[in-house]
Amino acid sequence: MVEFLDNFIAHLGLLGLLVFGVAAALEYVVPPFPGDTITLLGGVYAVRGEHPWPLVFGVVVAGSVLGALINYQVGHWLGGRFEQRPGEAFLGITHARLESVQAQMRHKGPWLLLVNRFLPGIRGLIFVAAGAAHMPRVNALLLGALSAVAHTALVLALGVAVGGNLERLEFLVARYQRGVILGVALVVLVLGVRTLFRRQPRTG
């Protein structure tokens, strides 16, 4: 897959920069999209001299902020819909559940937004929740941009570290993906156990 992406972006020339930005945005809107893999390639291209790393860096950060904005607007619309029809569930979400999410975002939202870029799979949902909680848009996007800057710098540095070695890049991507799957599975397990214990009737 990495070799295919490498060849595809290489044939686009400078337009390949758009691929990096679009990939970063799609990671928020379509969570399974392998945007981090494409960003890693950006570091490889920087070493090869095909795309200057400041341009790759700027495009990826901009794409991340755009994706975050789209999800924020979806959440804002969702919150408004519940306010207009508080008695109706929508997409399996009840008004009570929305109020719980809003309360959590008001309490933990800034920290979640600040680390969102390092939470694959749920980073987009964090901005949906921020929009639904009516957190200030500018604040949410600013925190998201700071997170994107830190994450993009790290991913591009990894790409630079492997140089033009695609085999090593594929190895890093595979390890990263396994780590993400394991991390998400552990979080789901912990939350499931926590919920189970909360529902247990207390005796004595």
Side-chain angles (χ1 to χ4, degrees):
M1 177 182 176
V2 173
E3 186 175 354
F4 168 77
L5 290 171
D6 182 35
N7 292 330
F8 176 70
I9 296 174
H11 279 88
L12 291 176
L14 282 177
L15 287 177
L17 288 169
L18 293 178
V19 175
F20 297 120
V22 171
L26 286 178
E27 270 195 306
Y28 281 88
V29 183
V30 187
F33 190 82
D36 285 338
T37 302
I38 297 177
T39 305
L40 276 168
L41 275 174
V44 173
Y45 276 74
V47 171
R48 294 175 181 170
E50 296 178 30
H51 294 306
W53 76 263
L55 282 178
V56 176
F57 181 86
V59 168
V60 171
V61 171
S64 297
V65 174
L66 175 61
L69 174 60
I70 293 172
N71 281 19
Y72 178 94
Q73 291 301 125
V74 169
H76 187 74
W77 170 81
L78 183 63
R81 188 187 187 283
F82 273 103
E83 289 168 3
Q84 293 174 2
R85 306 173 187 176
E88 297 181 14
F90 183 62
L91 297 176
I93 305 172
T94 64
H95 188 63
R97 177 57 181 162
L98 177 66
E99 288 183 331
S100 174
V101 170
Q102 289 175 330
Q104 292 178 24
M105 285 303 296
R106 294 186 186 105
H107 179 60
K108 303 175 183 177
W111 291 107
L112 288 172
L113 291 168
L114 195 56
V115 300
N116 83 89
R117 200 65 181 81
F118 296 88
L119 303 173
I122 64 170
R123 58 173 69 110
L125 293 177
I126 293 174
F127 279 93
V128 173
H134 299 300
M135 295 183 68
R137 184 185 293 105
V138 173
N139 292 356
L141 293 181
L142 178 59
L143 291 171
L146 291 174
S147 184
V149 166
H151 181 270
T152 303
L154 176 62
V155 174
L156 285 180
L158 287 175
V160 170
V162 303
N165 192 329
L166 289 182
E167 290 184 4
R168 190 177 176 192
L169 178 60
E170 286 184 300
F171 174 74
L172 286 175
V173 168
R175 290 193 64 177
Y176 172 79
Q177 290 173 338
R178 285 196 296 268
V180 167
I181 293 173
L182 178 61
V184 171
L186 286 174
V187 169
V188 171
L189 178 62
V190 170
L191 291 177
V193 171
R194 184 180 177 184
T195 302
L196 181 63
F197 274 101
R198 281 184 172 181
R199 290 180 179 177
Q200 291 290 334
R202 296 182 179 179
T203 58

